[in-house]
Structures are given as C-alpha cells and as structure tokens.
C-alpha cells in the first residue's frame, strides 16, 4: 500500500535519523521550527511558549503506555475536537493506526538503547490521492511545563501529541487546525471515502424502518474497520459547545468507538431471547461530560443486561468521556453522522470488492469557450458544459455507484491567510451509449451532489445500465483549483476524461472524408412486437455508416421502454440510419423487424412513430409493431 509513499517536503526519515545518530545530535526540523510561526498565523494568544522534548517533561517517555486506546486523547487549548475525535476512532483500529504510525516499535523509546534516540519521528497521512510521510522533531509546545495541545491521560505517553504535531505541520501551523471537519481527518487517516448522513433530513428519529436500515449500514461500516464520527448541529454562535440538559454538547465532534446489537436478559433466557437492542458507543474528545440519559454509565437500564454482556461491552462507571446510547435516543439528539468507509478493492477479500477509478483534474479559467474549464454549476447554462467532463459505463442492469469529489486543500496556506475551500459539487448525465466527445448540449440529468465548501462531496446512487458523464464544477464560474474524482462501481467502469470537442482532423481526412453532420438517435420505446412467445427479451441495434450501438436486453416484454441514445458523426448524410429489433435467444436471436430513417439537417428535433418491417420488404406495415424514435441533427459538430 505504501510503495509510492511521498516524502513530505522531500524529508527522508531514515536518512535524517541516520545523520543525527552519526553526528550525535538531536533532530531539529528546519521546515517546522520551534517558533511562534509554527503555532499561530494571527499572532500569539496564549503567552510565552517553551518548546520541550518529552524527556524534559518526564523521566520515562513512551509513544504508548499500555497500548493505544481512545482514552489516550484529550483536547488541548485548540478548537480541534474534529481532529481529536478522528484520532479516537483511529485508536480503536490497530490495522489503521499502524499505517498512520509506521515502524512504531522502532520509533518507540528504548531505555536499553538510549543511543538509538535521535529526537525524530515520522507519521503518514493520505493527502489528495497519495500517502505522504511527514517527519517532525519531538519538541512540543508547553506552558508552565504542561503540553498546550493534545495530550494523554498518562504524562509519559506522547503518541497523540506527536501525531497532532505532524498533522499541524501539513497544515502549516497548529492554529490552522482550529475548527475543521472530522470527515477530512478520517479520510487523511485511512484513504477511505466519507459519507455524510443528515439525521434530520432522513427523519430517522420518527421512522423506525429507516432507522433500523441506517443502523445496519452503520454496523456494517464499523465491522469492516470503517471510522465513524457524529455531532449535534449548532445553529447559532451561542450554541457552539453549549451543553444540553442530557449532558451532550452542541457543535462538537464525537468519535463513535463501538456499534453493537446488545442481547437483553440474563442466563439461558437471554441466549434464546430474540430481542436485541441497537446500541452505539461514543467518546467526547474532552475526556469528560457524558450523556446522562438511559444507558448512561450508572443508569439502571444496565440491570436488563447480564453481567457477562456488560463486561463484553466494557461498561465502566467513570467520567472518562465515553458512554453508550440506544440508537433511537441517538437519532433523537444527534443531527449528523460521518461514515468513513474503507473501499475494498482487493480481489482476495471475502467482502464486496469495488472497482476504483481515480481521475485528477483542474478548474482552469480561459477566455476561449472551447478551452475554458471553469464554467460554474448548472445554474450558469451558458458556461456549465465548459467544465471538465468524465465518461463512465454502468455494465450491470443496475449498479450502486459511489462518487467522491475532493478539492485540493486550501486551508494549508496560513502564511497567505487561512485559505477557504471553494463550493464544489457535480452532476451526472445519462448520455449516448457511444459518446466519445465532449457534451455541448445538456443531456438527461440523473443525479447530482450538493454544493458545499467542504473538502469533499460524496454521492451514492443506483444507476441503470448505460453510459454516463460526470461534470465536476465549482458553484460559481471562473474559480480555479485542482480536484480528485474517485468513482467506485461493482464492475470496471472505464472512466476517462472527455477532452475532444469533435472528431480530430488527421492526415487521412482528405482521402477518407470528414463528418459533415452529427445526428443523435434516441430510440424511446416499441409497442406491439410479435413473436412466437407471449413475451420476449427484445433489444435494439442502431447502425450508421458501419458504427453500431446496441441496447441492453429488456426481459419479458413486448413493449420495451428502450430509452437509449447513439450519436453518429456522419460523412454521408444522405445514407439512412438503420434500426433493428431482435429477440434474445439462447441459440439464435430472432429478428423482429427493422426501419430505416433519414434525417433532415435543418430539423433540430424530429420525432417519428414508425412501423417495423421485414428486412426485404418495402412496405411499412408488413410486420406489426411500432417504434418511437427521436432524431436531432446538427451541421455544427460541437452542438451536440
């Protein structure tokens, strides 16, 4: 997984550590020095800071004390609960934190080999499509000999403070972490895809069936090593970090540390009882201030659960910031979920394997409409189709497609002022089955994401078999930036960017000719198809100048709704367009009829209801059955 890990700022951990050991000096990072500029971009707000190494703060420093857990993290004097909550989730997944903290045994302090300590550490984060290895020294900011920022329960445990420092280095300074999105940190720790869930919009508190479905989804993400966070939306400034009567805090990120179906009852009765309670466990990054309602630490509801079940769940009666809730209460109080799923692309896995396509692109403004790639959202009809366009295929009758659009981080530029992300989103259009050139006329929109100024936008959508174009955009035209587009499907989608506006002119053009017309053929439906069986499995083939477009097979019908399109760049406009219908058969497909259509170059949209006929017949009504077909013809090739 890390064969292509990139060294952040070009700093190679092994080489730097070797240099320090050979020279007998402790590492001092020139790219993130122990000065106020590494702490703030708006000026010092906390007074005199002393940078100290762990060995100056305690006698026996360690990366980990008694392993790693969510309880190791306590938020410091920085509004980065989003980062600390993500770290809490990370700490519960050994396979994940060992990727973020590589070589952790080698990096650990070794009292038997004090000469192996060089004051240098490294951590890894997934940034804009690649893993980066971030080197830091271990000088940490302190006031009155206490760590200013993230720290552990144990005064000699430093993994959380060091990971936070490496993350602050990526963003430019600690203050750049003040306020953020948990989803971003979850993705940075995993390379996964974060899916936001609006609990209010889904009405999960009121709809039991929808709530149960959501729980199963959350449970699956948790069981497959995904990371989960949640929060209660603050609608006003006064609401931020306001504590409710039930103990929960608004505008504050919580880490989800466990999801379970809890068996009620005691002894054998509980074993045979089918009743199970949907439960979820969370942790407040502050390490205190817990939920005080049903199923809280000391609540009497726990008497309904056997002692062995309580021990299995790890129920403790202490104000450590971690607590259980039943899922119904959770949906009543919380408003937002972040599900960071690890998209499995390994063919060796027993779980569902996804096919991933990764596209890198840019929104670039140019005066030339054919070269401009920053057209804004669909509200800007004159420029919308000037945005980058990516075509992909759905090759199953229906497939669940996951699409994630990520813009290049703009927060990590504190020296120029804290950068603001662009409002981004994307639309998906169903296009002709043989679309090879950029769209210049809007097609059927089948889905679209929200537009928001977060780093990522995500969409999950069931799509029918066919060809589609994704148009990633900024909300306003003329805005510029880089983006990463990730498309996940069940079978390969062959996703690629559409870069050409029309067929290119080549050295053979003079001899072979160049298209004079472009025609879009849209076969809508058929009626009254006849055959030996009461029902059939019809499909349609459109042929023009030797190029064929074939529809999927429509099962068990004589009146199929084909709704398929083909686009043809025509060198011989006077030749007809042939449409044939067949019935799928195991041995030999049965011919059901054909029609030949001629398009008028002056007619932008002509719709035909035509009778099918046999291949050798000149009569329109020799065979029962009718087709509804729409033709759109243009003399300007870039008009379709």
């Amino acid at each position: 997984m890390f064969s292509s890990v990139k060294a952040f700022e070009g700093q190679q951990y092994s080489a730097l550590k070797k240099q320090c050991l050979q020279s007998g000096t402790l590492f001092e990072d020139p790219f993130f020095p122990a000065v106020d500029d590494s702490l703030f971009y708006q000026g010092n707000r906390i007074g005199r800071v002393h940078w100290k190494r762990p060995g100056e703060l305690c006698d026996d420093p360690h990366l980990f004390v008694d392993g790693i857990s969510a309880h190791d993290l306590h938020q410091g004097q920085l509004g980065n609960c989003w980062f600390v909550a993500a770290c809490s989730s990370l700490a519960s997944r050994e396979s994940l934190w060992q990727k973020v903290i590589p070589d952790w045994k080698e990096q650990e302090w070794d009292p038997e080999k004090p000469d192996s300590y060089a004051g240098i550490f490294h951590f890894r984060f997934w940034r804009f499509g690649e893993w980066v290895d971030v080197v830091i020294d271990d000088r940490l900011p302190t006031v009155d000999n206490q760590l200013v920022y993230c720290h552990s329960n144990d005064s000699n445990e430093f993994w959380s403070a060091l990971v936070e420092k490496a993350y602050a280095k990526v963003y430019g300074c600690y203050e750049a972490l003040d306020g953020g999105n948990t989803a971003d940190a979850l993705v940075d720790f995993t390379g996964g895809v974060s899916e936001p869930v609006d609990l209010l919009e889904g009405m999960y508190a009121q709809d039991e069936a929808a709530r149960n479905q959501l729980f199963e989804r959350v449970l699956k993400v948790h069981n497959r090593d995904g990371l989960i966070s949640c929060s209660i939306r603050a609608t006003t400034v006064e609401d931020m970090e306001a504590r409710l009567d039930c103990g929960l805090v608004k505008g504050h990120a919580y880490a989800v540390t466990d999801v379970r179906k809890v068996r009620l009852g005691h002894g054998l009765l509980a074993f045979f009882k089918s009743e199970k309670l949907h439960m979820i466990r969370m942790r407040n990054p502050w390490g205190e201030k817990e939920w005080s309602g049903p199923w809280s630490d000391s609540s009497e509801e726990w008497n309904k659960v056997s002692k062995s079940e309580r021990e299995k769940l790890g129920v403790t009666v202490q104000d450590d910031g971690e607590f259980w809730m039943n899922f119904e209460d959770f949906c009543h109080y919380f408003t937002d979920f972040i599900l960071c799923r690890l998209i499995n692309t390994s063919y060796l896995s027993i779980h569902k394997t996804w096919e991933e396509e990764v596209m890198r692109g840019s929104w670039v403004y140019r005066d030339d409409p054919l070269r401009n790639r920053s057209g804004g959202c669909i509200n800007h009809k004159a420029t919308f189709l000037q945005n980058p366009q990516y075509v992909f295929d759905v090759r199953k009758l229906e497939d669940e497609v996951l699409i994630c659009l990520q813009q290049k981080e703009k927060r990590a530029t504190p020296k120029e002022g804290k950068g603001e992300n662009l409002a981004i989103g994307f639309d998906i259009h169903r296009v002709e089955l043989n679309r090879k050139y950029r769209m210049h006329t809007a097609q059927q929109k089948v889905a679209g994401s929200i537009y928001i100024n977060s780093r990522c936008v995500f969409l999950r959508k069931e799509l029918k078999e066919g060809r589609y174009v994704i148009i990633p955009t900024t909300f306003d035209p003329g805005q510029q930036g880089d983006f990463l587009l990730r498309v996940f499907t069940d079978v390969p989608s062959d996703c690629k960017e559409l870069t050409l506006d029309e067929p290119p002119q080549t050295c053979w053009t003079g001899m072979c000719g160049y298209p004079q017309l472009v025609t879009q053929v849209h076969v809508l439906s058929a009626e009254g198809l006849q055959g030996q069986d009461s029902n059939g499995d019809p499909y349609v083939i459109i042929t023009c100048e030797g190029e064929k477009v074939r529809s999927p097979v429509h099962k068990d019908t004589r009146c199929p709704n084909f709704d398929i399109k083909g686009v043809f760049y025509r060198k011989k406009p006077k030749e007809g367009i042939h449409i044939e219908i067949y019935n799928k058969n195991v041995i030999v497909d049965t011919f059901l009829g054909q029609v030949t259509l001629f398009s008028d170059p002056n007619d932008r949209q002509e719709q035909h209801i035509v009778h099918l006929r046999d291949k050798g017949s000149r009569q329109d009504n020799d065979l029962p059955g009718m087709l509804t077909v729409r033709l759109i013809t243009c003399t300007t090739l870039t008009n379709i």
Side-chain angles (χ1 to χ4, degrees):
M1 183 176 191
F2 294 103
S3 58
S4 59
V5 174
K6 180 181 177 182
F8 188 71
E9 303 285 12
Q11 293 177 295
Q12 300 287 346
Y13 168 74
S14 298
L16 290 170
K17 183 172 183 178
K18 184 177 180 181
Q19 290 173 11
C20 291
L21 292 176
Q22 288 176 344
S23 63
T25 59
L26 297 181
F27 179 62
E28 294 187 2
D29 187 2
F31 290 98
F32 202 59
V35 296
D36 278 3
D37 280 351
S38 297
L39 299 174
F40 318 102
Y41 61 83
Q42 291 182 334
N44 189 327
R45 299 181 186 178
I46 59 175
R48 181 76 181 274
V49 173
H50 296 275
W51 294 78
K52 294 190 176 183
R53 298 186 188 269
E56 299 174 278
L57 295 171
C58 65
D59 294 331
D60 186 25
H62 287 280
L63 267 182
F64 309 120
V65 173
D66 297 327
I68 180 173
S69 79
H71 298 283
D72 296 339
L73 294 123
H74 291 273
Q75 186 180 342
Q77 298 180 40
L78 195 62
N80 66 340
C81 61
W82 59 281
F83 167 79
V84 180
C87 275
S88 295
S89 296
L90 178 72
S92 65
R93 300 294 191 193
E94 183 177 354
S95 61
L96 296 181
W97 68 252
Q98 287 188 4
K99 295 172 184 174
V100 174
I101 311 175
D103 315 314
W104 61 274
K105 290 183 179 179
E106 182 271 333
Q107 293 200 76
E108 179 64 270
W109 278 268
D110 188 346
E112 296 181 3
K113 299 178 181 178
D115 293 341
S116 65
Y117 168 68
I120 184 172
F121 293 85
H122 71 131
F123 303 93
R124 287 173 178 167
F125 308 111
W126 190 88
R127 300 288 295 173
F128 202 61
E130 60 188 3
W131 287 91
V132 294
D133 193 78
V134 183
V135 172
I136 59 167
D137 63 39
D138 62 355
R139 294 176 295 177
L140 298 169
T142 69
V143 171
D144 296 330
N145 221 39
Q146 300 294 318
L147 291 175
V148 176
Y149 300 125
C150 191
H151 54 279
S152 174
N153 267 342
D154 296 293
S155 60
N156 64 332
E157 183 177 59
F158 290 95
W159 75 265
S160 59
L162 292 170
V163 169
E164 183 186 46
K165 180 174 181 177
Y167 203 65
K169 178 178 177 178
V170 171
Y171 276 88
C173 69
Y174 277 90
E175 192 180 356
L177 304 184
D178 192 52
N181 190 336
T182 308
D184 294 344
L186 294 176
V187 171
D188 289 343
F189 292 157
T190 63
V193 173
S194 280
E195 176 184 2
V197 179
D198 189 323
L199 297 171
L200 295 178
E201 186 178 310
M203 300 185 68
Y204 294 106
Q206 297 80 25
D207 189 335
E208 183 180 1
R211 184 169 63 247
N212 290 339
Q213 279 187 338
L214 176 63
F215 181 82
E216 293 297 335
R217 214 163 98 208
V218 173
L219 184 62
K220 183 185 289 187
V221 171
H222 176 75
N223 287 342
R224 295 188 182 176
D225 286 342
L227 302 184
I228 307 171
S229 174
C230 56
S231 60
I232 302 172
R233 203 174 304 157
T235 53
T236 64
V237 176
E238 292 75 21
D239 268 352
M240 286 299 293
E241 300 195 340
R243 190 174 184 184
L244 303 176
D245 292 340
C246 62
L248 298 175
V249 181
K250 281 188 168 186
H252 187 59
Y254 289 80
V256 173
T257 56
D258 204 353
V259 182
R260 295 280 187 98
K261 291 182 179 179
V262 178
R263 196 184 300 275
L264 298 180
H266 298 265
L268 285 176
L269 182 63
F271 184 79
F272 290 108
K273 216 172 179 182
S274 60
E275 186 181 2
K276 290 183 179 180
L277 200 63
H278 292 173
M279 299 285 285
I280 185 167
R281 187 177 70 191
M282 284 148 288
R283 183 176 185 277
N284 186 336
W286 293 343
E288 57 179 2
K289 294 186 171 53
E290 300 181 5
W291 157 254
S292 59
W295 301 99
S296 55
D297 285 358
S298 56
S299 110
E300 61 184 19
E301 277 81 10
W302 286 110
N303 295 327
K304 301 176 183 178
V305 177
S306 67
K307 182 181 178 182
S308 62
E309 189 82 354
R310 289 199 301 271
E311 289 174 352
K312 197 192 312 181
L313 294 171
V315 178
T316 58
V317 183
Q318 53 184 319
D319 189 19
D320 56 4
E322 194 166 51
F323 56 90
W324 287 90
M325 293 179 73
N326 74 55
F327 200 62
E328 184 176 355
D329 284 338
F330 173 87
C331 291
H332 177 76
Y333 283 98
F334 282 84
T335 61
D336 294 277
F337 243 148
I338 299 292
L339 306 178
C340 182
R341 59 182 72 242
L342 305 184
I343 306 296
N344 176 34
T345 56
S346 169
Y347 291 108
L348 302 177
S349 172
I350 61 172
H351 297 305
K352 177 180 172 66
T353 295
W354 294 85
E355 296 287 343
E356 179 183 19
E357 299 279 2
V358 180
M359 303 284 118
R360 293 179 181 274
S362 301
W363 294 293
V364 179
Y365 176 74
R366 299 185 182 98
D367 289 332
D368 182 354
L370 288 181
R371 296 178 64 243
N372 181 43
R373 292 295 177 265
S374 179
C377 69
I378 201 168
N379 297 342
H380 306 277
K381 298 189 184 303
T383 57
F384 170 66
L385 292 174
Q386 295 172 12
N387 285 293
Q389 300 180 13
Y390 296 86
V391 64
F392 72 98
D393 293 326
V394 173
R395 294 193 167 100
K396 296 172 64 177
L397 284 177
E398 196 167 53
D399 195 5
E400 182 181 45
V401 179
L402 310 181
I403 299 173
C404 179
L405 175 65
Q406 178 178 338
Q407 63 182 308
K408 194 158 191 180
E409 186 71 65
K410 292 205 170 188
R411 289 165 51 91
T413 54
K415 299 296 185 289
E416 293 79 35
K418 191 173 181 180
E420 293 299 329
N421 290 325
L422 302 172
I424 62 171
F426 57 87
D427 284 345
I428 305 174
H429 292 250
R430 192 175 186 194
V431 298
E432 304 90 347
L433 289 177
N434 60 340
R435 163 68 64 175
K436 293 184 290 189
Y437 304 108
R438 286 176 55 84
M439 290 166 48
H440 298 279
T441 300
Q443 305 272 9
Q444 175 193 1
K445 179 181 171 180
V446 294
S449 73
I450 61 170
Y451 277 80
I452 189 169
N453 63 345
S454 67
R455 195 176 74 179
C456 297
V457 290
F458 173 86
L459 181 70
R460 173 210 305 271
K461 183 70 177 178
E462 292 277 350
L463 294 176
K464 295 180 180 178
E465 187 173 3
R467 181 161 288 188
Y468 298 85
V469 168
I470 304 171
I471 305 181
T473 85
T474 57
F475 187 77
D476 294 316
Q479 296 182 314
Q480 303 192 103
D482 298 325
F483 63 83
L484 188 75
L485 180 67
R486 304 168 76 189
V487 180
F488 300 90
T489 50
D490 192 41
V491 295
S493 66
D494 195 25
C495 185
K496 57 191 173 190
E497 185 177 4
L498 296 175
T499 57
L500 297 176
D501 292 291
E502 59 190 30
Q505 303 239 13
T506 68
C507 58
W508 302 104
T509 298
M511 185 185 305
C512 302
Y514 186 76
Q516 302 171 43
L517 285 179
V518 56
T519 301
Q520 183 193 77
V521 184
H522 187 183
V523 180
L524 296 162
S525 59
E527 292 182 18
L529 299 178
Q530 298 299 309
Q532 295 178 349
D533 304 321
S534 58
N535 274 325
D537 302 323
Y539 63 90
V540 61
I541 296 177
I542 309 170
T543 307
C544 179
E545 297 187 23
E547 183 176 0
K548 290 186 177 182
V549 171
R550 174 173 167 161
S551 77
V553 174
H554 289 250
K555 296 284 188 180
D556 300 322
T557 180
R558 289 290 176 187
C559 298
N561 180 24
F562 287 118
D563 191 22
I564 71 146
K565 298 176 187 176
V567 60
F568 302 95
Y569 291 82
R570 306 170 64 192
K571 299 174 184 177
K572 303 170 185 176
K574 292 184 179 180
E575 283 195 8
I577 298 167
H578 306 280
I579 302 173
E580 298 176 324
I581 296 187
Y582 290 86
N583 184 56
K584 181 69 177 173
N585 190 282
V586 176
I587 303 173
V588 179
D589 293 352
T590 307
F591 173 76
L592 296 180
Q594 71 168 359
V595 66
T596 302
L597 298 175
F598 298 89
S599 59
D600 181 350
N602 299 315
D603 197 336
R604 282 280 298 165
Q605 188 160 324
E606 35 178 310
Q607 185 161 310
H608 304 261
I609 297 179
V610 290
H611 291 274
L612 297 171
R613 57 181 180 272
D614 202 339
K615 286 183 177 179
S617 172
R618 294 181 177 274
Q619 301 298 319
D620 282 348
N621 55 1
D622 278 5
L623 284 176
M626 295 181 298
L627 271 183
T628 305
V629 183
R630 180 181 294 131
L631 300 181
I632 302 175
T633 299
C634 297
T635 52
T636 305
L637 301 186
T638 54
N639 276 354
I640 283 185

